[in-house]
Amino acid sequence: QVQLVETGGGLVQAGGSLRLSCAASGLTFRNYGMGWFRQAPRKEREFVAALSWSGGGTRYLDSVKGRFAISRDNAKNTVYLQMNSLKPEDTAVYYCAARQWGRTSDYAGDYDHWGQGTQVNVSS
């Protein structure tokens, strides 16, 4: 059974940083492209960042470019989202997702497995 478990969310002041982690199990992690999405209250889920299965390609939401960085550690079956210079508009539940043999994709429907999410709150 595939499981994706996000951790690292919390409350931070604007301008601060958080690092989200997503630990995967039940799959051959190195064969999966990984993505991060978020959903704010009363809004649709939106793409944030993606990393190809090879680690050679990345894609970001325009509003997080230069502030967020996605990375992976295949030895730990974990994908990370480093978030710097956080803004109140980054407040959302953040989800990680996995896509077998996936290159980077910003489309939620391309992903096969999803985590339960971790809450990020950024205060002004």
Side-chain angles (χ1 to χ4, degrees):
Q1 181 181 357
V2 175
Q3 279 195 315
L4 301 176
V5 180
E6 302 96 335
T7 56
L11 175 63
V12 64
Q13 287 188 329
S17 298
L18 284 173
R19 188 176 81 155
L20 305 184
S21 300
C22 172
S25 59
L27 51 73
T28 305
F29 182 72
R30 65 180 179 274
N31 295 345
Y32 280 76
M34 301 299 295
W36 286 96
F37 290 74
R38 67 187 182 187
Q39 188 166 17
R42 298 174 298 280
K43 292 189 176 181
E44 296 290 320
R45 187 172 299 191
E46 70 173 349
F47 166 78
V48 176
L51 180 63
S52 66
W53 67 272
S54 67
T58 57
R59 182 181 295 193
Y60 293 95
L61 177 69
D62 283 347
S63 63
V64 308
K65 285 180 181 176
R67 299 191 297 123
F68 290 12
I70 187 171
S71 62
R72 65 191 299 155
D73 184 339
N74 288 346
K76 296 182 178 180
N77 286 3
T78 300
V79 63
Y80 303 98
L81 185 67
Q82 178 67 45
M83 306 187 295
N84 300 325
S85 302
L86 282 160
K87 303 176 181 180
E89 52 263 43
D90 295 317
T91 294
V93 177
Y94 283 71
Y95 300 88
C96 74
R99 179 189 182 206
Q100 191 171 22
W101 299 117
R103 297 182 180 180
T104 59
S105 172
D106 60 4
Y107 176 53
D110 282 339
Y111 290 83
D112 306 305
H113 307 288
W114 291 82
Q116 293 300 305
T118 185
Q119 179 72 48
V120 172
N121 290 305
V122 184
S123 63
S124 57

